[in-house]
Amino acid sequence: MSLRSVISALAVSAALSAFSATLVSGGGRICYSDTVSDAGKLRIEFAPCMANELFTFHRVYLNGTIVNATSSDNIGPFGITGGWCGGNHLNDGRRSAETVAVSVAAFPGAVIVDPEVADTLTCDYMVVEVHNRLVLPDGVSPFADETIRYTVAGNSIDVAASHTFTCEQPVFVDRYYGMQSMFFDEYEFLTPGGLYAPWTPLAEVNRFAKSAQNGFCLFVEHSPAGYQASWLDPAPGTLGDRSLVDDDDWVFIGNSYTKAYHKTIGGKTVRKGDTTRWHGIYSWFDRPLVDTPHSFAYRAFYGGVPAVMDFNF
């Protein structure tokens, strides 16, 4: 099987006009709302959440129905020797991460938005940059500095994540998912370039290894409310190139504790000063642009710019 993926930037049309989104802030939260042609009406809320109270996207609504919520992780944790670091995970009741800084800007104009101050404004898109500190399972010793930049536009959250490891001793990372999904009520999956193509019922979805995929970088979930696409950029030099996952290790896990995962590190040791980064785009839509046994395309926003994500497989 061969996979061809195309990301096409679009000119902004009347349906995707400037200043179409609304931001509402206050009480430590940011709510972003927009309506996108061929996708639907989106509402995306950012707030401190999960067991570690990290600032991230907390709830996503599509056409008024909640389709994603961080009762657990959308941005995955590290599974290391002795426990977990980051996301929703505690270790014997001890927090494994904290948010140390948040900045929010609305564009154009780079207008600063304070989540604590009640305000309403319109914009094209917003950028949320979050700095988190991850600690080892003892709850004290440093593990990594995490920076996550969310570009929120239209029906998408474009995520650029990086880690600088600060651990004094080498740490064995059993697994790091990075990009994963808390989509609600999915009943079928599509993984272009992977095992589950065309659409596969949820009960038949499990996982597949790196050696069993050919260009896999996307999983799509379908629910009665619509779709969520989780595209992991496969660019060389990022975790999306799967270079830190062995051929016989899993790169996709689905139908597991109501979640689905892109696995990006498996069985590797990190040391102080090491760095990693990944890029991906979460998109929600009420219908795809193309859906055939060998092709799938949908509306998305890449770095705040309207785009079509087009996959042939």
Side-chain angles (χ1 to χ4, degrees):
M1 175 188 293
S2 63
L3 171 70
R4 180 181 68 85
S5 62
V6 177
I7 304 168
S8 304
L10 302 176
V12 177
S13 66
L16 300 167
S17 58
F19 303 105
S20 62
T22 301
L23 293 188
V24 178
S25 62
R29 296 171 173 262
I30 299 284
C31 178
Y32 176 97
S33 300
D34 201 356
T35 300
V36 179
S37 176
D38 297 318
K41 183 177 181 181
L42 273 294
R43 175 177 172 179
I44 300 170
E45 299 177 358
F46 277 72
C49 56
M50 302 181 292
N52 286 304
E53 298 182 8
L54 302 183
F55 196 83
T56 185
F57 59 101
H58 180 37
R59 293 189 180 94
V60 179
Y61 296 81
L62 177 60
N63 297 324
T65 298
I66 189 166
V67 292
N68 185 299
T70 49
S71 54
S72 187
D73 319 271
N74 277 301
I75 306 296
F78 290 84
I80 68 171
T81 301
W84 291 88
C85 297
N88 189 50
H89 290 267
L90 305 178
N91 294 294
D92 295 327
R94 295 184 295 268
R95 289 175 62 171
S96 64
E98 63 174 338
T99 291
V100 296
V102 176
S103 64
V104 183
F107 290 84
V111 178
I112 301 301
V113 180
D114 187 342
E116 298 294 341
V117 177
D119 197 7
T120 301
L121 67 154
T122 56
C123 65
D124 282 349
Y125 65 95
M126 75 170 179
V127 174
V128 180
E129 187 163 294
V130 181
H131 297 274
N132 299 320
R133 182 179 297 118
L134 279 57
V135 298
L136 295 174
D138 64 9
V140 177
S141 302
F143 174 60
D145 291 333
E146 178 178 75
T147 299
I148 305 181
R149 182 181 175 93
Y150 305 91
T151 301
V152 185
N155 66 324
S156 300
I157 303 176
D158 185 315
V159 179
S162 64
H163 293 89
T164 298
F165 295 95
T166 56
C167 44
E168 293 298 331
Q169 301 297 324
V171 173
F172 181 78
V173 178
D174 177 68
R175 72 200 79 168
Y176 174 59
Y177 299 122
M179 192 175 195
Q180 56 191 66
S181 167
M182 285 301 302
F183 190 63
F184 286 176
D185 300 326
E186 67 269 32
Y187 62 83
E188 60 180 356
F189 273 83
L190 177 67
T191 60
L195 183 62
Y196 305 112
W199 286 102
T200 302
L202 177 64
E204 299 174 21
V205 172
N206 189 358
R207 58 188 67 190
F208 55 80
K210 179 178 175 180
S211 59
Q213 57 90 29
N214 183 4
F216 163 70
C217 60
L218 169 74
F219 64 84
V220 187
E221 299 162 270
H222 188 194
S223 80
Y227 299 78
Q228 177 179 299
S230 301
W231 175 77
L232 180 65
D233 189 343
T238 72
L239 292 181
D241 70 8
R242 315 286 184 176
S243 60
L244 296 183
V245 181
D246 293 338
D247 285 349
D248 60 353
D249 200 354
W250 313 118
V251 290
F252 171 76
I253 302 171
N255 194 14
S256 174
Y257 301 102
T258 73
K259 300 168 72 174
Y261 310 79
H262 279 291
K263 186 174 182 179
T264 57
I265 300 177
K268 306 300 178 184
T269 297
V270 297
R271 294 170 174 82
K272 187 174 183 177
D274 288 349
T275 61
T276 60
R277 61 190 178 93
W278 60 267
H279 169 235
I281 302 175
Y282 298 88
S283 302
W284 295 268
F285 43 97
D286 52 17
R287 60 187 181 276
L289 300 176
V290 177
D291 186 4
T292 75
H294 299 290
S295 60
F296 190 80
Y298 61 93
R299 180 81 67 209
F301 281 68
Y302 189 111
V305 177
V308 169
M309 310 292 280
D310 184 9
F311 297 83
N312 291 336
F313 45 91

